[in-house]
Amino acid sequence: MSRDYLIAIDFGTSYSGYVYSIAPRGAELVPNLRRWGQEYGHNTPKTPTCVLFDANGKFMHFGYKAKDKYLEMDKDDAAKNYFFENFKMELYNKKITKDLTIKDVKKRPMSALKVFSAALRFLKDDALKTIFMNTSGMRFTAADFSWVLTVPAIWDNSARQFMRDAAVEAGIVSSSSQDKLVIALEPEAASVWCKKLPCDGFITEEHEGAALQQTPGTQYVVVDCGGGTIDITVHEVLEGGALKELHKASGNDKGGRRVNKRFNQCLREFFCGGLWEYYEREFPCEAQKFMYDFEIVKVAEGDVKMICYYNLGHLVEQNQKDKKVFNSVEGVSWARGNILISKSKMESFFHESLVHITDSLCEILDSHSQIQYILLLGGFSQSRILCDHVRQQFSDRARVLCPKNPQEAILKGAVVFARDQSVIRSRKSAFTYGVKISVRYDKSKHKSKITNKEGDWCNVMFKKLVGIDEDVGWDETKEYSFTPIERDQRAMNLEFYRTERKSVTYVDEWGVEGPVACCTVAMPDTSKGMDRRVKLEVFFGSTEIRAKATDRESNCTASVKIDFISK
């Protein structure tokens, strides 16, 4: 019997993991989840997104093992090796180039592609090993599987392409078999999984009905609260259980790491004379361990007590002899080697994240009055402060649901999405996309001109391909036709631009970005001079923009890779 061989990797800011499926084609898909950390006293659906390289830049470890080995190092060893964490956020809202570098915890640079591909290579190899151990020793290679890689919905196309390039570098797929790699948007994957959950799959007393997918017309918001980003998308259930996006994906970088950052700033204020900065510099591994402890306590409710490690306590004891050690910070105190944090102070660390979630949900609920549910998921959604805030603010407008295993929803949904991408029937275009074209110059209409042997042209016209907020079907193809501006022109260069404006005339107007992508279409047959056409087919309905160009004269059709990464 034919089977679907699928592996989905959720590469998160704080934690990463994977699921696999070797299910008979057509049968109900049951994702197999790899659990992590048992040797360290954990049993989690994901492992920390941490990578450790040696002093020569050679990959050593990933996940719990990388974290554990680094935290065991003394100051000298820690200074020699490269330790990366939270590096996924280096792709957010940044100009991504081929030679992009990122910095480790000691602020030393390394090739971003090297770091990302090393992490993905580990996850790939571990997945194949796990499958081997659970299939009576059946041996598989990466080429036997279709792969899914999740990314935040708010990521730019260049960041999505970078992850694809890193997957190729990691050996997940080859350059010639990239069709076996699906890029899935994290909140979409979560939505695909959550829509099929029965009512007892959620932690709530408010949801007593059938699974969301069983009621066409149901509208809900997915708030994916991760370590780096908060991604929000809105879906409506269609007949048969497919989904339609009602509101373009939104969000920003105010995820769980922002709370950690505010806590760290508080420690700098609490300890006098740069003591905390000295502690981080002289005992980096111990300070890092202390911040990992905060990850655990920040999901709790009420006042918090953090037990300090030896070197911090020793520094306090030494400095207390002859100078002031603590500044007065409301809600923070020191008691016998412990830092006490009041509930209200802890809530203040969440302020930025909660304001963003509140503002986003208000805008969405005001625009879509039929929304019935708000789904909270992702590791950050396990925080009681976050969940209680959303319930207090919005329970009178929609039912707030949280799946029992919020970290697993993206992973399991991704592999389901890979089997049938048509489950997301339509999406909203995040931008107005267009291509630069040349038209015959008319001084009464156009602001600039160029001249060639065929005459005068305005060559900065913006031809709209798709508009912002426009519905685009998952398998919809938009066709466009272009002609050369010279009789002997043997290639056509197409430059793509985008804007958040609904309509523009020229590519150099305010608010227009680009070129965000370029491609060149060969036109080898020049016998018809300027009476030739190139057909451009653009696929906007997927998670990535793809294009195909056809030269009408030679009848040659070629796929066009729209390269969003700067040289």
Side-chain angles (χ1 to χ4, degrees):
M1 178 181 291
S2 180
R3 292 176 176 269
D4 285 323
Y5 293 90
L6 300 168
I7 298 175
I9 296 175
D10 180 12
F11 192 85
T13 301
S14 300
Y15 293 89
S16 297
Y18 62 81
V19 298
Y20 66 91
S21 173
I22 308 179
R25 192 158 295 166
E28 179 70 19
L29 192 150
V30 180
N32 297 284
L33 176 71
R34 158 61 147 122
R35 301 196 70 84
W36 302 85
Q38 291 88 342
E39 65 271 37
Y40 300 102
H42 307 290
N43 184 19
T44 58
K46 295 183 184 180
T47 189
T49 309
C50 302
V51 190
L52 183 64
F53 295 88
D54 68 14
N56 297 315
K58 182 181 178 182
F59 173 79
M60 294 175 68
H61 305 293
F62 179 83
Y64 280 116
K65 192 168 186 179
K67 174 180 165 182
D68 187 64
K69 293 295 184 183
Y70 179 73
L71 295 181
E72 286 179 351
M73 292 178 181
D74 58 30
K75 180 184 175 182
D76 292 337
D77 285 339
K80 295 175 186 175
N81 296 297
Y82 294 80
F83 183 69
F84 291 87
E85 64 172 0
N86 304 322
F87 54 91
K88 178 182 173 183
M89 289 306 294
E90 294 298 319
L91 301 185
Y92 174 68
N93 213 18
K94 301 275 181 69
K95 181 179 180 180
I96 298 176
T97 61
K98 301 286 187 184
D99 56 354
L100 176 70
T101 61
I102 58 177
K103 295 179 180 179
D104 75 345
V105 296
K106 303 289 285 186
K107 308 300 182 185
R108 295 169 302 173
M110 185 178 286
S111 162
L113 188 61
K114 178 176 180 177
V115 178
F116 277 83
S117 62
L120 289 174
R121 186 178 297 109
F122 171 86
L123 290 168
K124 174 205 70 176
D125 293 343
D126 192 87
L128 295 176
K129 186 189 305 180
T130 298
I131 294 169
F132 172 76
M133 294 171 60
N134 288 277
T135 54
S136 302
M138 292 177 64
R139 292 197 176 275
F140 295 96
T141 66
D144 294 321
F145 290 86
S146 291
W147 295 79
V148 195
L149 194 54
T150 67
V151 300
I154 59 172
W155 264 14
D156 196 272
N157 287 299
S158 61
R160 299 178 193 180
Q161 186 181 309
F162 178 89
M163 292 302 293
R164 180 175 286 280
D165 291 346
V168 172
E169 184 74 13
I172 288 176
V173 293
S174 66
S175 297
S176 61
S177 64
Q178 290 196 42
D179 59 331
K180 297 193 71 174
L181 174 63
V182 174
I183 300 294
L185 307 185
E186 291 166 359
E188 286 189 355
S191 181
V192 166
W193 185 254
C194 289
K195 77 181 179 67
K196 60 188 289 182
L197 290 178
C199 61
D200 60 5
F202 296 94
I203 305 171
T204 180
E205 298 176 357
E206 302 171 328
H207 180 42
E208 299 174 353
L212 301 179
Q213 67 179 9
Q214 295 180 15
T215 310
T218 298
Q219 297 181 6
Y220 59 91
V221 187
V222 175
V223 186
D224 175 20
C225 306
T229 59
I230 293 175
D231 261 1
I232 302 176
T233 192
V234 186
H235 282 149
E236 177 181 352
V237 179
L238 303 177
E239 196 72 42
L243 299 173
K244 174 184 179 180
E245 188 176 49
L246 298 179
H247 193 96
K248 71 171 185 173
S250 61
N252 59 24
D253 60 345
K254 293 180 171 58
R257 305 305 300 183
R258 187 60 63 101
V259 177
N260 298 12
K261 183 178 179 180
R262 294 292 169 258
F263 172 61
N264 189 276
Q265 290 176 340
C266 175
L267 293 173
R268 292 167 183 258
E269 296 172 11
F270 180 58
F271 290 100
C272 293
L275 187 145
W276 179 257
E277 290 90 332
Y278 177 83
Y279 176 60
E280 287 184 309
R281 186 170 61 251
E282 295 300 313
F283 307 100
C285 296
E286 194 176 285
Q288 199 82 25
K289 193 181 299 185
F290 186 77
M291 291 304 297
Y292 284 137
D293 291 345
F294 180 72
E295 285 276 6
I296 298 171
V297 303
K298 78 179 184 184
V299 304
E301 184 179 29
D303 298 340
V304 166
K305 178 173 77 173
M306 293 200 64
I307 301 171
C308 296
Y309 291 100
Y310 171 78
N311 287 301
L312 181 57
H314 185 61
L315 283 174
V316 169
E317 187 178 325
Q318 280 186 319
N319 282 274
Q320 278 181 323
K321 295 175 182 178
D322 54 11
K323 57 184 174 182
K324 182 182 177 183
V325 176
F326 307 109
N327 290 313
S328 178
V329 176
E330 186 176 352
V332 184
S333 59
W334 177 271
R336 298 181 180 180
N338 301 309
I339 295 178
L340 308 181
I341 307 169
S342 70
K343 178 182 178 181
S344 61
K345 186 63 178 178
M346 180 65 79
E347 289 174 345
S348 73
F349 302 148
F350 285 72
H351 178 72
E352 280 184 277
S353 300
L354 298 183
V355 166
H356 164 65
I357 292 173
T358 300
D359 289 348
S360 297
L361 287 177
C362 282
E363 178 189 347
I364 289 168
L365 292 172
D366 288 344
S367 303
H368 305 279
S369 60
Q370 301 303 310
I371 287 174
Q372 298 161 260
Y373 302 98
I374 297 171
L375 274 57
L376 297 177
L377 47 96
F380 189 27
S381 73
Q382 294 176 299
S383 164
R384 290 297 300 273
I385 291 174
L386 189 153
C387 290
D388 289 348
H389 174 84
V390 175
R391 287 195 175 97
Q392 289 167 9
Q393 295 292 318
F394 299 104
S395 59
D396 62 332
R397 303 182 67 177
R399 293 179 177 178
V400 181
L401 309 178
C402 184
K404 288 183 177 178
N405 300 301
Q407 285 186 301
E408 299 178 16
I410 293 173
L411 275 167
K412 293 180 176 179
V415 78
V416 174
F417 172 77
R419 176 187 263 192
D420 180 15
Q421 296 181 53
S422 70
V423 68
I424 307 294
R425 197 57 53 82
S426 71
R427 295 180 174 87
K428 295 284 186 181
S429 178
F431 295 91
T432 295
Y433 284 95
V435 65
K436 184 172 78 168
I437 64 169
S438 298
V439 299
R440 288 290 185 182
Y441 176 71
D442 181 339
K443 67 179 180 180
S444 66
K445 295 180 180 179
H446 303 132
K447 67 176 186 177
S448 63
K449 73 173 181 178
I450 63 165
T451 301
N452 65 11
K453 56 190 176 184
E454 310 296 347
D456 297 333
W457 304 84
C458 178
N459 69 334
V460 290
M461 301 298 293
F462 182 98
K463 179 175 178 57
K464 185 164 75 171
L465 303 178
V466 66
I468 189 170
D469 286 326
E470 185 178 324
D471 288 323
V472 186
W474 77 276
D475 60 349
E476 185 176 343
T477 302
K478 290 182 175 287
E479 293 188 5
Y480 311 91
S481 184
F482 303 99
T483 57
I485 63 171
E486 292 186 343
R487 297 177 188 279
D488 56 355
Q489 186 173 328
R490 301 182 65 84
M492 183 178 294
N493 184 50
L494 297 173
E495 294 184 353
F496 295 81
Y497 292 76
R498 73 181 188 189
T499 178
E500 293 189 67
R501 296 168 60 188
K502 287 190 177 294
S503 180
V504 296
T505 303
Y506 302 102
V507 298
D508 54 1
E509 290 183 37
W510 67 269
V512 180
E513 299 176 69
V516 295
C518 301
C519 64
T520 300
V521 184
M523 304 177 69
D525 185 351
T526 62
S527 59
K528 289 187 178 180
M530 295 179 66
D531 190 22
R532 293 176 290 151
R533 291 188 178 274
V534 167
K535 180 177 73 172
L536 178 69
E537 299 170 275
V538 185
F539 310 91
F540 283 103
S542 182
T543 55
E544 299 171 283
I545 297 174
R546 297 177 294 113
K548 183 171 69 174
T550 303
D551 175 27
R552 296 285 197 181
E553 298 310 307
S554 63
N555 205 29
C556 293
T557 299
S559 295
V560 178
K561 180 183 179 184
I562 301 179
D563 193 344
F564 287 92
I565 298 180
S566 302
K567 304 299 181 187

